[in-house]
Amino acid sequence: MNGQLALLLPNWIGGHSALQSHGVQAARIEDLWWLMFWVCSGVFVLVMVALGCAITRASLPGGPPGPIPPQPRRRMTRAVAAAMGVTVLTLFVLLIASVSTGRAIASLGAPKATVVRLIGHQWWWEVEYEDPVADRIVQTANEIHIPAGRPVLIQLESRDVIHSFWVPSLHGKRDLIPGHDSEIWIEADRPGVYRGLCAEFCGYQHAHMGFLVIAETPERFGAWYNSQLQPAVLPSTPLQQRGRQVVESAPCAVCHNIQGTQASGRLGPDLSHLASRRTLAAATLANTPGNLAGWIVDPQTVKPGNHMPANSLSSEDLQAVLAYLGSLK
């Protein structure tokens, strides 16, 4: 992980490993993994022991063995049959464990769960919180805030190629196939920050298509949600006012939306609360003024092949834009 990003996330507890489960489904998957690991390890050891015994017996004085007498042959036949029986039984045990795990992780659900629509793009994640009331729908990007200890339904959609949603510490993988929406349930045991990623090769910047799942107490999640419902913060200084003017008149307004301004594009992430996010460019960079400046001026150096064009802003305009975007919390 990027060093700057690691420093930015001191409360990282979920990490990036399926063997550090912090959710109901991930715990089931981890248990299945360890079961298969120990069974396969035991089988490997037994096979190596049997091979070692065979090699040792073949190397004893007397040369290569001749025809096997009837009685040892019967013993060997029974041993092979017993080994085959144990093998079949072991496979059935693993099959039953796998099916049981699949049913268990599919059973999570709640009638009043938080519903999040996650849309995969090359190469970022559009996040929309569904609500029957239109003006309570929240849109953000590359961060999924969830209430800890409560099930969350993630509705998955792709707008271009096949992507794959994976938060190793919370659940397994689920593909996003264009034209075929799917869904997955997640639940975090306790508050923390968990790294997710696209687990299906989706183009040049596949490796830089990450996101964060931020689990918070229900109270903090509610406060965050209400803050996201608010329009973008109004500029409070002349520099910020100048920055808003530049954003509204530059190509930024064609691709990005900022609530309450003339910037109403839908091609790129919503920037209404950009300063409240921890990362930039789909968890590629820490959200700092320096990184934001480099991303605005020359995004192709940071993420070659992405769909954001370079911006030829003057130094004064760039500082104004940074001041304005830095106020959007």
Side-chain angles (χ1 to χ4, degrees):
M1 182 175 56
N2 183 293
Q4 293 176 308
L5 195 55
L7 293 174
L8 188 69
L9 303 174
N11 59 335
W12 195 286
I13 64 170
H16 186 79
S17 173
L19 301 183
Q20 295 179 354
S21 58
H22 293 275
V24 178
Q25 301 100 325
R28 293 275 190 171
I29 294 172
E30 182 180 358
D31 291 342
L32 178 62
W33 189 94
W34 281 114
L35 173 63
M36 291 188 171
F37 172 80
W38 288 117
V39 169
C40 292
S41 297
V43 170
F44 175 79
V45 170
L46 290 176
V47 170
M48 292 298 102
V49 169
L51 177 62
C53 291
I55 293 175
T56 301
R57 292 185 61 182
S59 62
L60 292 176
I68 302 175
Q71 187 173 359
R73 180 187 292 274
R74 286 193 292 271
R75 288 200 301 267
M76 292 178 62
T77 301
R78 288 195 293 268
V80 171
M84 291 178 61
V86 171
T87 299
V88 172
L89 179 61
T90 301
L91 291 176
F92 268 105
V93 169
L94 294 180
L95 175 62
I96 293 171
S98 179
V99 172
S100 175
T101 299
R103 289 181 175 177
I105 64 178
S107 63
L108 181 68
K112 296 184 179 180
T114 301
V115 179
V116 179
R117 187 157 192 81
L118 187 69
I119 303 172
H121 302 268
Q122 289 179 310
W123 290 273
W124 63 283
W125 303 89
E126 181 180 352
V127 184
E128 181 175 282
Y129 289 78
E130 303 297 318
D131 194 282
V133 181
D135 60 2
R136 287 192 57 80
I137 294 176
V138 166
Q139 291 183 328
T140 182
N142 304 316
E143 284 189 3
I144 305 174
H145 288 248
I146 64 173
R150 296 183 180 178
V152 176
L153 175 63
I154 309 292
Q155 298 177 337
L156 302 171
E157 176 187 348
S158 174
R159 293 286 174 82
D160 36 51
V161 300
I162 297 177
H163 302 285
S164 186
F165 172 89
W166 189 28
V167 188
S169 294
L170 298 182
H171 208 319
K173 304 173 185 178
R174 185 63 56 85
D175 286 346
L176 290 72
I177 301 175
H180 298 274
D181 295 355
S182 60
E183 60 185 35
I184 189 172
W185 289 89
I186 63 172
E187 180 180 334
D189 292 336
R190 58 184 182 272
V193 182
Y194 307 90
R195 183 173 174 83
L197 69 159
C198 177
E200 179 74 29
F201 181 74
C202 56
Y204 189 33
Q205 288 299 325
H206 160 69
H208 291 154
M209 189 175 170
F211 61 94
L212 301 180
V213 175
I214 302 172
E216 304 170 298
T217 62
E219 295 75 21
R220 292 193 63 179
F221 170 76
W224 172 85
Y225 194 94
N226 289 329
S227 70
Q228 297 295 304
L229 291 172
Q230 305 304 314
V233 177
L234 294 175
S236 59
T237 67
L239 186 62
Q240 293 174 4
Q241 293 172 358
R242 172 59 183 162
R244 173 171 170 171
Q245 293 173 357
V246 173
V247 168
E248 291 180 327
S249 61
C252 309
V254 177
C255 296
H256 298 282
N257 177 65
I258 301 178
Q259 299 177 38
T261 73
Q262 296 180 20
S264 57
R266 297 293 180 182
L267 297 178
D270 188 296
L271 303 182
S272 301
H273 302 282
L274 173 66
S276 67
R277 298 174 197 160
R278 303 180 181 216
T279 67
L280 301 169
T284 302
L285 300 171
N287 190 358
T288 65
N291 286 337
L292 181 57
W295 176 244
I296 292 173
V297 173
D298 190 8
Q300 296 303 318
T301 296
V302 177
K303 215 169 174 178
N306 80 86
H307 302 308
M308 180 172 169
N311 291 278
S312 56
L313 298 175
S314 67
S315 177
E316 294 78 10
D317 285 347
L318 177 60
Q319 293 304 316
V321 168
L322 292 175
Y324 175 59
L325 295 180
S327 71
L328 300 179
K329 297 183 178 180

